[in-house]
Amino acid sequence: MSELKILAISGSLRTQSHNSALLRAAQKFAPEGFAVDLYDGLREIPSYDQDHDTDTPPAPVAELRRRITEADGLLIATPEYNYGIPGVLKNALDWASRPGGRSSLNGKPIALAGTAMSNFGTVRAQLALRQMFLWTDSQVVTKPEVLVFRSQDRFDQAGHLTDETTVVLLQDLLKALGHKIRSSQAAA
């Protein structure tokens, strides 16, 4: 069985982001048979402008779309801002969702996770993402839910995930994503 290629996208631009650290942990603790590739181009993606959404989109957008297309699945870690997802993540996903009906996100298996320093994790942001992915008919993993609350207690000062329960949840999420990827590949 070949290695599954997972593109990991953090919805945070912050240098010391726990969401980005969660994706680095996914890379480090990925089960055998998974290759987790971290996407770091969110800053370069311009604001969505349909006038520029042509057969030759801006280079950072073309690169994002290419990487999503080449990945077997996505792992998105998002913070929660005002009960929703950060604008930069929404913007990137808006670009990726085009052209409608045949975008890089169409039917793509996707797993969601998120960290927050509050007691509620990122439950509302993840719900907003699930709703967005209805449009692209993406195959979103529903369980386990990885809502890392009180994230300051789960990472050390260097940004390394130290909480074993979170490591296991992250591994279980990747395994569920792998199952969804293999199911979609078998159905194709």
Side-chain angles (χ1 to χ4, degrees), residues 7 9-11 64 68 73-78 85-86 89-98 101 103-113 124-142 177 180:
L7 182 63
I9 301 171
S10 173
L64 172 65
I68 290 172
L74 301 181
L75 172 60
I76 299 174
T78 184
I85 63 173
L89 179 58
K90 172 76 165 76
N91 180 60
L93 294 174
D94 284 346
W95 275 110
S97 73
R98 306 288 299 161
S103 79
S104 59
L105 292 172
N106 276 22
K108 184 68 66 175
I110 301 173
L112 306 175
R124 293 166 292 226
Q126 289 188 42
L127 285 172
L129 279 172
R130 289 176 199 282
Q131 185 175 6
M132 270 185 68
F133 290 130
L134 289 172
W135 169 249
T136 56
D137 201 25
S138 301
Q139 299 176 42
V140 180
V141 172
T142 56
L177 178 59
K180 195 162 282 286

Side-chain angles (χ1 to χ4, degrees), residues 33-48:
F34 287 82
V36 178
D37 180 29
L38 303 177
Y39 175 76
D40 63 357
L42 209 57
R43 247 180 235 289
E44 286 76 38
I45 296 178
S47 295
Y48 182 78

Side-chain angles (χ1 to χ4, degrees), residues 114-176:
T115 71
M117 297 176 100
S118 70
N119 288 326
F120 296 105
T122 59
V123 66
R124 293 166 292 226
Q126 289 188 42
L127 285 172
L129 279 172
R130 289 176 199 282
Q131 185 175 6
M132 270 185 68
F133 290 130
L134 289 172
W135 169 249
T136 56
D137 201 25
S138 301
Q139 299 176 42
V140 180
V141 172
T142 56
K143 297 228 178 357
E145 291 181 303
V146 179
L147 308 162
V148 183
F149 62 94
R150 297 191 48 78
S151 59
Q152 68 275 15
D153 298 337
R154 302 180 197 298
F155 293 88
D156 64 19
Q157 292 296 325
H160 299 108
L161 181 60
T162 58
D163 182 67
E164 287 300 317
T165 300
T166 304
V167 169
V168 171
L169 275 171
L170 201 51
Q171 290 172 328
D172 289 347
L173 181 64
L174 284 170
K175 289 175 189 173

Side-chain angles (χ1 to χ4, degrees), residues 44-47 49 52-65 95:
E44 286 76 38
I45 296 178
S47 295
D49 181 342
H52 296 177
D53 189 5
T54 65
D55 289 338
T56 54
V61 171
E63 176 68 6
L64 172 65
R65 289 175 177 172
W95 275 110

